[in-house]
Amino acid sequence: MMLGRSAANLFWMSRYVERAENMARLLEVGYRMSLTERSEDGSSEYLLSMLQAAEAEEAFKKKHDTVDVASVAHFMLFDTDNPSSVKSCLFNARTNAKSVRTEITTDMWESLNGTWLEFSQVQPRYVLGNKLPSFLQSVKQSSNQFRGALLGTLMRTDGFAFAQTGGFIERADNTARILDVKYYVLLPRSSMVGGDVDIQQWTMILRAASAHRAYRHIYHDRYKAWNISDFLIFRKEMPRSLAFCSTSVVAMLGMLEQIYGEPSGCHDEAIKMAQFLTAGDMSKVFDQGLHEYLTGFMAANNQLTNAISESYNFY
């Protein structure tokens, strides 16, 4: 059995790479929504909604008075005091990868190390304004490059399973947060529901999850909150949906059981979570409240992380 420390390094390496990408996706949602509003001091309620969904509002307000694009972009991308900033995530991903250098491939290391070196040289003032979307896209592309190296070169051993498990758990958390941005946006203005701005914002949610074209392939009618939520929560064909991520975690934990020849409690917990999602019912979600449902999912996702850590001695 792989040492718990090594397993944890692989697990968190993938989580941090995925989180770096996910922070870029969340910022993209907030930024694009902010373009539709006007304020005298440049502050944005949509960016505030994004910070709330990312659970970063309190930390941000300790350092900044105005929630504007420049301040939020710096905080989410470059601020090392923010443990979830892209820069912090890339640093932590590289640190974890360096600790298990012999467990990963040269392609994986070169991809991650190169991304870190390039990002470290970026001057924050040069990626604001109309340059921000292309920079966010480059962050996502770097994550895709690393993922491609992992899938294309890493042997299908326990190390692969731990790395993939971390990535899928993080991706599920982010999809839930992207959806939850809409809750915080609507919180003070329920009159927007069903209007043109509301539909436009749901479209931005899809784009941030790289799901816009896929959604149109499945649903041919107008954008609807019900369908979009169903697509990002329950559709197993969608690789960023909660259901897809949860069933993928089950597969990876099942792979570990086969390799080690013994069951684990975290696998059973993951199976229950996946079964709950694959048998999902949107009417029950909206009866409960989308925000409440997503909050419950994120809490269960965190509990699963703790169960995996305990089962494989990450500590």
Side-chain angles (χ1 to χ4, degrees), residues 10-186:
L10 290 164
F11 179 89
W12 283 102
M13 172 192 70
S14 283
R15 282 203 72 163
Y16 279 122
V17 171
E18 188 77 29
R19 187 173 298 178
E21 176 186 350
N22 294 341
M23 290 303 104
R25 290 180 181 278
L26 273 172
L27 180 55
E28 181 181 12
V29 174
Y31 170 72
R32 292 193 182 281
M33 286 186 179
S34 73
L35 297 177
T36 65
E37 63 182 341
R38 296 288 184 272
S39 65
E40 294 182 0
D41 61 355
S43 62
S44 168
E45 292 187 19
Y46 295 136
L47 287 171
L48 177 60
S49 299
M50 182 274 297
L51 289 169
Q52 291 169 333
E55 297 183 3
E57 179 188 10
E58 182 177 352
F60 176 85
K61 287 187 173 180
K62 287 181 179 179
K63 304 187 69 173
H64 303 278
D65 295 325
T66 304
V67 186
D68 56 18
V69 172
S71 299
V72 173
H74 185 275
F75 181 76
M76 295 294 287
L77 293 173
F78 302 106
D79 194 337
T80 53
D81 290 333
N82 174 12
S84 292
S85 72
V86 171
K87 189 169 188 177
S88 295
C89 289
L90 291 177
F91 174 82
N92 288 327
R94 181 180 181 273
T95 300
N96 278 282
K98 193 173 183 180
S99 297
V100 285
R101 183 66 185 82
T102 58
E103 298 286 346
I104 64 176
T105 66
T106 299
D107 287 357
M108 291 171 64
W109 170 252
E110 289 182 349
S111 172
L112 185 50
N113 190 50
T115 297
W116 165 250
L117 293 176
E118 289 179 13
F119 194 92
S120 299
Q121 296 173 4
V122 173
Q123 297 296 319
R125 64 180 180 274
Y126 293 138
V127 296
L128 295 177
N130 58 9
K131 295 181 180 179
L132 182 58
S134 61
F135 183 73
L136 296 177
Q137 182 63 26
S138 72
V139 173
K140 292 186 285 183
Q141 288 175 343
S142 295
S143 176
N144 289 334
Q145 182 185 55
F146 173 81
R147 191 178 303 114
L150 188 157
L151 293 174
T153 65
L154 190 61
M155 291 182 63
R156 270 39 175 183
T157 61
D158 48 358
F160 174 84
F162 283 119
Q164 285 288 83
T165 299
F168 283 122
I169 285 179
E170 185 65 34
R171 185 182 299 178
D173 181 83
N174 179 70
T175 297
R177 292 184 187 279
I178 287 178
L179 266 173
D180 214 24
V181 169
K182 198 66 176 83
Y183 163 79
Y184 287 106
V185 166
L186 289 176

Side-chain angles (χ1 to χ4, degrees), residues 226-269:
W226 183 287
N227 290 343
I228 293 172
S229 299
D230 177 70
F231 189 60
L232 293 178
I233 294 175
F234 296 125
R235 296 298 296 228
K236 290 186 291 182
E237 309 96 316
M238 168 55 192
R240 302 195 74 86
S241 74
L242 306 190
F244 179 92
C245 293
S246 294
T247 54
S248 297
V249 169
V250 169
M252 291 300 103
L253 293 179
M255 180 179 174
L256 288 172
E257 283 196 355
Q258 290 183 335
I259 291 172
Y260 295 143
E262 57 185 46
S264 65
C266 63
H267 190 202
D268 294 336
E269 191 168 330

Side-chain angles (χ1 to χ4, degrees), residues 173-238:
D173 181 83
N174 179 70
T175 297
R177 292 184 187 279
I178 287 178
L179 266 173
D180 214 24
V181 169
K182 198 66 176 83
Y183 163 79
Y184 287 106
V185 166
L186 289 176
L187 195 59
R189 44 172 94 75
S190 59
S191 60
M192 288 172 48
V193 176
D196 290 339
V197 174
D198 181 43
I199 298 302
Q200 183 182 29
Q201 290 169 353
W202 277 112
T203 305
M204 292 175 188
I205 295 288
L206 282 172
R207 291 186 184 280
S210 297
H212 180 258
R213 293 191 178 213
Y215 174 87
R216 295 292 294 173
H217 181 74
I218 300 294
Y219 304 98
H220 303 291
D221 55 1
R222 194 178 185 212
Y223 296 107
K224 296 179 180 178
W226 183 287
N227 290 343
I228 293 172
S229 299
D230 177 70
F231 189 60
L232 293 178
I233 294 175
F234 296 125
R235 296 298 296 228
K236 290 186 291 182
E237 309 96 316
M238 168 55 192

Side-chain angles (χ1 to χ4, degrees), residues 300-312:
N301 207 35
N302 288 335
Q303 290 175 2
L304 179 58
T305 297
N306 293 334
I308 294 170
S309 300
E310 292 175 2
S311 294
Y312 294 106

